[in-house]
Amino acid sequence: MRGRSKLKTGTDSPSNFCGQTRREFIGNIAGGFASLALTGLLSTDGFLDSQAIASDGVTPYQNPLAPKVSHFNSKAKHVIFLFMYGGPSHVDIFDYKPKLFELNDKTVQVKTKGRGGERSQGRIVGPKWEFKQYGASGQWVSGLFPYVATCVDDIAFIKSMTADSPLHGSAMLMMNAGRVLSGHPSLGSWVNYGLGSENENLPGYVVMLDRTGGPISGAKNWSSGYMPAVYQGTVFRSEGTPVLNLERPGDISQNEQRKLLDYLRDFNTTHLSKHTDNTDLAARISSYELAFKMQSAAPEAVNLDSEPEHIKELYGLNEKATEEYGTKCLLARRLVERGVRFIQLYSGGAHNDANWDAHGDIQRNHNKHAKATDKPIAGLLKDLKQRGLLEETLVVWGGEFGRQPTAEYAEGTGRDHNSYGFTMWMAGGGVKGGISVGETDELGSTAVTDPFHVRHLHATILHQLGIDPNQLTYFHSGLEQKLVGVEGAEPIWQVIS
């Protein structure tokens, strides 16, 4: 699986249409149905009835998102990434450290590094929630997640995650794209590029944000980077119109729009046949067609009226605190059923306590966000399992980093960022349930046993989808680029069944 990123060698044709240049014509038509906002799945049929022929006169235009053969048999077909933006505190949720209770409010010697820099000592903040063991596997979970606690026998906890940055912006890019610098393709883009999609009417890569707004760095977190735009994520809304600017203009019928698209398709593909390296134009063609099909498919996918009441209750749709994230989780299940490959759901959007970034009061912050997500996440796991979908759907939970065992300030219970050791978990998709791998030290400050980098997490996700993470490459800037970096990375074999 290898792509080639080339410089454009041609320019738009100067020929006119109704007194307009080709560039002006395309620009005006695009405003009618917002194609540029919808860079997602290229359908495997429909507009390909009239294929463009490459400059060699033989090779047909290739659908950039046609299904591709995986490197080996996959355990998972879909990924749902539950992103807890801001950095949830592992020592308050899943990483039980009895020593923290004993040392509460005492100053100890411990090296930490966060947004405030490096420190050699700090005041311990003991967890404010009781931990208990759950399931046949006896996994430790705090009172913050009583619903997820009932699912631990399906979960593999990775308690020794590490990242390269303790700062939100760069850490978010690291978790989403494998680098601390912007400009690289996101995980979902690599999945779309590597596998394509069997979905004909919806994007292969969907992102749903918190109602308070998007995370720091915004669209860079679901960008396709130096890959063609066709691989980037499409933002869905959990209420109202699912995709902005998708609706057909009121003064044009469906048949009229179809005729216009057909004409534009022929116009574009003729031009593309002479400039086969123009990936932007190829992405634009796919955008037009997907936009047309999504006008009916997207509203149906997000319409929850057909869901029975007991399912809505399972996800917490009938409770104010859980309604928003529960809706996103239920939509994720519906999108999986409709063949969407990669779905990312954000909890937390704006700054400060609107996300998991608990610098001031850990109790107030985490009570709020755990309450909003615990029941919906457990509902998603149970619903996928009862439908036989968990086996083929890899669910990933975590944030960009964890939090420190010490207080950030002289007073209060807030914790600073911690990228030296934190917890994430996976469920379904061929992952072992009821296990924990890796350990942090007795204070939860640093990974000490089997430390795993974000690259290992990405390698595990790709592996479960049937992709060799060290063989999936894209040629750019003179290098065979990889999500897992030029040095490569192995999956976390301990969690793979």
Side-chain angles (χ1 to χ4, degrees), residues 112-129:
T112 58
K113 182 179 180 181
R115 67 171 188 170
E118 295 186 23
R119 299 181 182 180
S120 59
Q121 65 177 23
R123 176 173 59 85
I124 294 293
V125 175
K128 307 305 177 185
W129 300 271

Side-chain angles (χ1 to χ4, degrees), residues 42-53 60-61 258 262 265-266 269 289 293:
L42 173 61
S43 174
T44 57
D45 60 9
F47 84 95
L48 290 179
D49 291 341
S50 300
Q51 291 181 328
I53 303 300
Y61 167 70
R258 183 64 264 175
D262 289 343
R265 176 199 63 205
D266 294 342
T269 52
E289 294 300 321
K293 291 191 174 185

Side-chain angles (χ1 to χ4, degrees), residues 217-239:
S217 299
K220 292 179 181 180
N221 291 291
W222 51 90
S223 166
S224 58
Y226 43 73
M227 289 182 183
V230 70
Y231 298 115
Q232 74 181 21
T234 297
V235 177
F236 264 41
R237 300 196 304 170
S238 59
E239 54 188 18

Side-chain angles (χ1 to χ4, degrees), residues 17-139:
F17 179 77
C18 296
Q20 295 178 313
T21 67
R22 181 183 174 282
R23 186 185 298 275
E24 291 168 339
F25 174 70
I26 290 176
N28 289 336
I29 292 300
F33 40 89
S35 62
L36 296 182
L38 298 171
T39 49
L41 170 68
L42 173 61
S43 174
T44 57
D45 60 9
F47 84 95
L48 290 179
D49 291 341
S50 300
Q51 291 181 328
I53 303 300
S55 56
D56 61 7
V58 178
T59 306
Y61 167 70
Q62 296 298 311
N63 174 353
L65 274 173
K68 301 174 185 177
V69 178
S70 58
H71 291 138
F72 44 81
N73 291 335
S74 65
K75 298 290 184 68
K77 297 179 180 179
H78 317 275
V79 176
I80 301 175
F81 197 146
L82 308 170
F83 205 112
M84 308 294 112
Y85 167 50
S89 175
H90 56 293
V91 295
D92 289 296
I93 307 175
F94 298 121
D95 196 5
Y96 176 49
K97 298 298 179 184
K99 195 73 172 179
L100 293 183
F101 291 93
E102 301 173 17
L103 297 175
N104 181 47
D105 216 28
K106 295 181 180 178
T107 299
V108 301
Q109 297 297 312
V110 55
K111 290 184 178 181
T112 58
K113 182 179 180 181
R115 67 171 188 170
E118 295 186 23
R119 299 181 182 180
S120 59
Q121 65 177 23
R123 176 173 59 85
I124 294 293
V125 175
K128 307 305 177 185
W129 300 271
E130 182 183 0
F131 277 77
K132 293 181 180 179
Q133 289 179 284
Y134 291 87
S137 58
Q139 301 298 312

Side-chain angles (χ1 to χ4, degrees), residues 130-420:
E130 182 183 0
F131 277 77
K132 293 181 180 179
Q133 289 179 284
Y134 291 87
S137 58
Q139 301 298 312
W140 289 96
V141 182
S142 83
L144 276 171
F145 277 79
Y147 287 97
V148 171
T150 65
C151 304
V152 294
D153 288 337
D154 293 315
I155 293 175
F157 294 94
I158 307 167
K159 297 185 176 181
S160 55
M161 288 298 306
T162 66
D164 290 346
S165 172
L167 303 177
H168 290 295
S170 52
M172 287 288 293
L173 293 175
M174 167 66 72
M175 188 59 68
N176 280 313
R179 305 288 198 284
V180 296
L181 300 176
S182 62
H184 295 271
S186 57
L187 171 60
S189 296
W190 278 103
V191 172
N192 259 359
Y193 162 66
L195 291 177
S197 176
E198 297 178 354
N199 187 303
E200 298 181 353
N201 304 310
L202 292 167
Y205 176 13
V206 168
V207 177
M208 284 184 264
L209 305 176
D210 194 277
R211 63 165 51 127
T212 63
I216 192 170
S217 299
K220 292 179 181 180
N221 291 291
W222 51 90
S223 166
S224 58
Y226 43 73
M227 289 182 183
V230 70
Y231 298 115
Q232 74 181 21
T234 297
V235 177
F236 264 41
R237 300 196 304 170
S238 59
E239 54 188 18
T241 303
V243 181
L244 294 177
N245 304 316
L246 181 64
E247 296 179 357
R248 182 183 303 109
D251 58 350
I252 184 172
S253 69
Q254 183 177 18
N255 287 338
E256 289 172 330
Q257 186 185 24
R258 183 64 264 175
K259 290 179 180 178
L260 184 61
L261 281 170
D262 289 343
Y263 180 85
L264 185 60
R265 176 199 63 205
D266 294 342
F267 197 79
N268 277 329
T269 52
T270 298
H271 183 74
L272 185 62
S273 68
K274 302 174 183 178
H275 307 284
T276 55
D277 58 352
N278 190 337
T279 61
D280 288 342
L281 179 56
R284 186 176 299 148
I285 294 172
S286 70
S287 299
Y288 292 151
E289 294 300 321
L290 178 62
F292 181 76
K293 291 191 174 185
M294 282 179 61
Q295 284 174 342
S296 59
E300 184 279 330
V302 303
N303 185 353
L304 305 183
D305 291 345
S306 62
E307 296 290 340
E309 285 302 315
H310 75 275
I311 292 296
K312 295 178 181 179
E313 171 60 28
L314 180 66
Y315 285 85
L317 267 60
N318 300 322
E319 303 173 35
K320 183 177 180 180
T322 54
E323 179 268 336
E324 184 200 358
Y325 206 74
T327 297
K328 288 188 287 195
C329 286
L330 180 51
L331 289 177
R333 189 218 80 203
R334 291 173 63 88
L335 292 176
V336 162
E337 289 178 315
R338 287 156 179 78
V340 175
R341 183 84 69 183
F342 193 96
I343 307 158
Q344 189 173 44
L345 312 181
Y346 279 90
S347 165
H351 296 297
N352 302 321
D353 283 329
N355 58 46
W356 292 81
D357 198 19
H359 288 287
D361 187 334
I362 190 76
Q363 287 178 277
R364 179 168 58 86
N365 179 285
H366 276 32
N367 276 332
K368 172 185 176 181
H369 295 293
K371 174 68 174 177
T373 59
D374 176 36
K375 186 175 183 179
I377 291 172
L380 173 63
L381 294 176
K382 292 177 179 179
D383 197 16
L384 289 172
K385 188 174 183 178
Q386 70 186 7
R387 294 169 187 269
L389 291 172
L390 188 59
E391 295 177 1
E392 63 182 43
T393 305
L394 181 63
V395 181
V396 183
W397 180 97
E400 63 268 41
F401 40 56
R403 308 204 79 81
Q404 296 177 4
T406 53
E408 183 169 4
Y409 305 118
E411 297 181 359
T413 60
R415 304 183 188 277
D416 200 355
H417 310 158
N418 182 3
S419 59
Y420 290 128

